[in-house]
Amino acid sequence: MKNFTYQRPAQVREALALAAAHDGTRYLGGGTNLVDLMKDGVEAPTRLVDVRQLPLKGIQLSPGGDLVIGATATNSDLAVHPEVRRHYPALSQAVLAGASGQLRNMATVGGNLLQRTRCGYFADTSQPCNKRTPGSGCAALAGEHHNHAILGWTEHCVATHPSDMCVALAAFDARVRYETLDGVSEIPLADFYLPVGDSPQRETVLPRGALITAVTLPGSAGGLRSRYRKVRERASYAFANVSVAAALDVHDGVVRGARIAFGGVASRPWRAREAEAALRDAAATPDAFRAAADAELAAARPLADNAYKVALARNLMVAVLTELTDRAELTDRAELADRAE
Ligand code: SF4
């Protein structure tokens, strides 16, 4: 590991000033990804600005009813927060599906947004990798890629985004708040991650030196029945082959609204807009769910060894939506029984 300086500012402005003054600065949250990459020689910051003591840990409702999640809240705090569990259950489930308890106790919300791909070639400095070394090539294209992307990739990079949390955030239309010395900005998560294009090393729209300070969840997305499910290669501590976050609004057997996002299929959380459009005002039936999944996955371009992900994504989405619909019917029946008593 290369030498670096380490600083612990107490205020956001101080952190921003430190980053602005020094090109090789990286912000340090829980360090659960960055420190590993530093040990592997993939990342070599010359200054680490530790952000964990900044006043950004809170999770609270805004006066307008949005849920504001501080960027240094830990993944554990987020998963068990009463507002999250009650109004955005898929987010709590997604966070709990990621990593181990020890890692969740360390990892921060802001760091989770910025974690790097777990493509094995990215972490192996003996291999070509456009994301690590632009212009060097992509070893995964002709190599091991069974868990790589089926949507939105280019020949420059076929890696997937590793986060579970971000898949649920995408389904709930989260917004990312960040700060620079020029002020505070907020951007929809849908616009936060850049398409792969020919520059896979550029992953987000964050300006240089910007610090993520919060993630906001719209109050209007809360309260829907929602669910996160993840298929992985072992029972724990594994990244998704495919995951689905979904929230469903069903009345009298008809879908009034659906929010669906996939994980494990693209370089960023994949919001399933085609599927959502196909479901609007459709009967809430497995046939409709299958047709919606097919509409979304028509754009899939599997690699030689990951065509299984297309069927997996389709089946997982249908299973999650069916489960949400069954639960809705059970709840409706319980409500009717309550009213009858
Ligand atoms: Fe690098 Fe992306 Fe290719 Fe993996 S898929 S080797 S991260 S360029």
Side-chain angles (χ1 to χ4, degrees):
M1 193 186 280
K2 298 213 169 113
N3 286 340
F4 56 88
T5 58
Y6 170 83
Q7 284 163 298
R8 298 188 70 182
Q11 297 301 326
V12 170
R13 295 290 292 182
E14 200 185 335
L16 294 171
L18 285 168
H22 195 83
D23 260 347
T25 300
R26 293 294 308 270
Y27 294 118
L28 177 70
T32 56
N33 186 212
L34 177 61
V35 173
D36 283 348
L37 293 174
M38 290 169 68
K39 289 179 189 166
D40 288 337
V42 176
E43 296 261 14
T46 48
R47 171 183 278 180
L48 285 184
V49 174
D50 192 334
V51 297
R52 284 173 293 182
Q53 62 297 321
L54 300 179
L56 301 172
K57 283 189 172 58
I59 301 175
Q60 55 218 351
L61 283 173
S62 73
D66 294 344
L67 188 65
V68 181
I69 303 162
T72 61
T74 66
N75 286 197
S76 294
D77 287 344
L78 177 63
V80 301
H81 194 277
E83 285 292 332
V84 176
R85 292 180 68 162
R86 185 157 175 218
H87 295 298
Y88 308 92
L91 176 57
S92 176
Q93 293 159 6
V95 174
L96 291 174
S100 64
Q102 292 93 331
L103 287 168
R104 291 195 295 271
N105 287 342
M106 289 296 292
T108 62
V109 169
N112 195 324
L113 284 165
L114 295 178
Q115 63 176 302
R116 311 298 302 277
T117 184
R118 295 321 197 273
C119 171
Y121 301 109
F122 176 69
D124 181 350
T125 53
S126 70
Q127 297 288 329
C129 170
N130 288 324
K131 192 183 273 298
R132 174 174 29 79
T133 310
S136 62
C138 172
L141 264 180
E144 167 56 48
H145 58 234
H146 83 281
N147 203 17
H148 283 60
I150 56 171
L151 287 161
W153 58 269
T154 71
E155 72 276 16
H156 298 282
C157 181
V158 292
T160 56
H161 195 270
S163 173
D164 295 290
M165 179 192 83
C166 293
V167 181
L169 291 181
F172 287 127
D173 279 327
R175 298 176 66 83
V176 180
R177 188 180 297 169
Y178 63 87
E179 207 163 321
T180 66
L181 287 172
D182 294 330
V184 179
S185 303
E186 204 166 277
I187 182 169
L189 184 75
D191 300 327
F192 180 71
Y193 294 105
L194 292 164
V196 183
D198 59 3
S199 307
Q201 75 279 10
R202 290 196 61 234
E203 296 176 353
T204 75
V205 298
L206 275 184
R208 183 180 157 270
L211 175 67
I212 296 174
T213 54
V215 173
T216 61
L217 288 174
S220 58
L224 295 172
R225 292 181 182 89
S226 69
R227 180 83 168 100
Y228 182 78
R229 280 186 65 182
K230 170 180 181 179
V231 175
R232 49 189 159 182
E233 286 169 3
R234 58 185 185 214
S236 65
Y237 315 161
F239 294 94
N241 297 103
V242 174
S243 66
V244 172
L248 208 53
D249 185 11
V250 176
H251 286 289
D252 298 328
V254 174
V255 179
R256 298 299 179 208
R259 298 167 168 276
I260 305 165
F262 286 111
V265 298
S267 66
R268 49 185 172 164
W270 189 267
R271 184 73 183 262
R273 300 278 185 199
E274 297 290 333
E276 292 175 5
L279 282 172
R280 206 157 296 129
D281 298 325
T285 63
D287 280 347
F289 300 154
R290 276 189 280 274
D294 287 342
E296 188 66 42
L297 294 163
R301 290 182 300 133
L303 301 158
D305 296 328
N306 71 358
Y308 76 95
K309 283 196 177 191
V310 181
L312 186 56
R314 178 181 192 260
N315 293 343
L316 192 60
M317 184 185 126
V318 172
V320 168
L321 295 181
T322 303
E323 189 183 335
L324 286 170
T325 308
D326 289 348
R327 242 195 256 164
E329 283 176 1
L330 284 174
T331 309
D332 287 347
R333 268 187 241 134
E335 280 170 5
L336 286 173
D338 281 349
R339 274 185 235 143
E341 279 174 8

